Amino acid sequence: MSRPFVAGNWKMNTTVAEAKVLASHLRDDLRDVNEIEIVLCPPFISLAEVSNVVENSRIKTGAQNMHYEDKGAFTGEVSAAMLTGLCQYVILGHSERRRDFGESDEFINRKAKKALELGINPIICVGEVLAEREHGREREVVSASVSQCLADIVFDERLVIAYEPVWAIGTGLAATPGEAQGMCSLIRSLLADRFGNENARLVPIIYGGSVSAGNVSELAREADIDGGLIGGASLDPEQFSEIVRTIVRIRR
Ligand code: PGA
C-alpha cells in the first residue's frame, strides 16, 4: 500500500503571524503521530516562518505554486530554486490556478519536471469540472490530464497525485467515497500502465474537495485513496489534526 499522506492547502489565508500560530498548534497537536506524511502549504510569505516552526517535528512544508524557470523577468513568481531548502513539496496545477491563471497541463508538466530536478516533491492536482462530469467525461478528462502532466517524467517515488473534482472544492459537497475511489483507482491504473504495478503502488494518490473530520473516514477506507488534500478544514487545527489521525488509524 502507498504511504498515507495528508496536505493542508491554506490557500490565500493567514498573515505571517497567524500562520506561525496555526503551525505551532499543529506541531504540538500532532507530536505523537507517526506513519503518515504531513505537509503544510502556507502562502509563500509564511513559508520560511512555518518551516522554522515545524523544523524539529515530522511535519513538512510545501509551496502552493512555483514557476518552471530558474530566475528572470517573471514578476510575482517564485522558482523551484528559491524553494530549495525552504520546503520539501509544491502543489502544482491546483484547479484555482488552472481557472484563474489559465494554467495548462503542459505548463504544469514543465513545473513538475523542474521541481523533481531541483529536489522538490510535486503534488500534481487533476480533476474534472462539473459540466464534464455531467456529460460523463470525467474519466477521459482526468486520464488526459494525468498523461500530459506526467509527459516525459520517468517513475519517481517523490510524485504525489491529488484527485480534486472541481465541483467538490470549497462547496461542502464532497465526492462520494465510491466516486472518489473510482477516479483514484483510474489514476492508479494509469500510473501502472506507465510505471508498472509495483511502482504505481508507491505513489500516494490523495483525494481533495470538501474533506472534513466528518467524511474523512469513509473516504480513507477506499482502497486507492491514500489520504487527502485539505483546504478549508486545514485552517482549523482541531479539525485538521482529527483528519490526520483518522487517516493514520484507517490506513496504517
Ligand atoms: P476544500 O479545498 O477542502 O476547501 O474543498 C481543497 C483544495 O482546494 O485543495
Side-chain angles (χ1 to χ4, degrees):
M1 196 141 79
S2 311
R3 61 191 194 277
F5 190 101
V6 65
N9 175 9
W10 297 1
K11 308 194 181 185
M12 196 172 71
N13 294 293
T14 67
T15 61
V16 175
E18 289 165 347
K20 282 169 70 177
V21 171
L22 180 54
S24 317
H25 200 136
L26 289 168
R27 178 200 57 202
D28 297 345
D29 272 8
L30 294 169
R31 205 177 281 286
D32 62 324
V33 176
N34 298 305
E35 302 176 58
I36 186 167
E37 187 82 330
I38 305 168
V39 184
L40 306 182
C41 303
F44 280 131
I45 57 157
S46 301
L47 208 39
E49 295 277 15
V50 168
S51 296
N52 279 339
V53 168
V54 300
E55 195 176 356
N56 292 316
S57 74
R58 296 188 62 257
I59 297 178
K60 310 265 179 32
T61 55
Q64 298 174 13
N65 179 36
M66 54 159 253
H67 201 284
Y68 56 80
E69 293 287 356
D70 290 325
K71 61 179 178 176
F74 301 98
T75 302
E77 292 294 318
V78 168
S79 72
M82 295 170 188
L83 296 177
T84 309
L86 203 54
C87 62
Q88 297 81 15
Y89 287 88
V90 61
I91 298 173
L92 296 179
H94 190 280
S95 65
E96 286 150 16
R97 295 211 56 86
R98 293 174 185 261
R99 181 194 66 201
D100 298 336
F101 301 97
E103 291 196 9
S104 64
D105 289 324
E106 196 258 325
F107 198 66
I108 294 154
N109 171 248
R110 285 203 219 179
K111 296 183 187 208
K113 285 191 275 199
K114 178 56 78 170
L116 289 167
E117 184 192 324
L118 292 197
I120 311 279
N121 309 339
I123 302 171
I124 299 174
C125 303
V126 295
E128 78 285 357
V129 300
L130 184 60
E132 290 162 341
R133 179 160 281 264
E134 284 174 347
H135 289 95
R137 295 187 54 229
E138 65 276 9
R139 294 175 72 84
E140 172 200 334
V141 166
V142 167
S143 301
S145 211
V146 168
S147 94
Q148 285 162 29
C149 288
L150 294 179
D152 309 320
I153 293 179
V154 294
F155 173 68
D156 197 307
E157 274 188 61
R158 297 171 297 165
L159 287 168
V160 178
I161 310 286
Y163 168 61
E164 296 209 306
V166 181
W167 46 271
I169 295 177
T171 59
L173 266 182
T176 64
E179 286 167 340
Q181 162 61 19
M183 296 303 286
C184 290
S185 119
L186 168 69
I187 294 170
R188 184 90 61 203
S189 67
L190 295 168
L191 295 179
D193 291 345
R194 283 183 68 98
F195 304 135
N197 280 332
E198 293 215 344
N199 287 338
R201 276 196 290 272
L202 298 175
V203 176
I205 299 174
I206 59 179
Y207 166 78
S210 297
V211 176
S212 67
N215 62 17
V216 67
S217 55
E218 53 178 17
L219 289 160
R221 272 194 201 100
E222 297 292 341
D224 290 294
I225 303 178
D226 299 312
L229 179 52
I230 320 297
S234 71
L235 296 169
D236 171 354
E238 275 79 31
Q239 194 173 177
F240 187 71
S241 296
E242 198 180 328
I243 289 170
V244 174
R245 285 176 194 283
T246 304
I247 296 172
V248 173
R249 183 161 40 79
I250 291 174
R251 298 209 67 88
R252 84 173 147 217

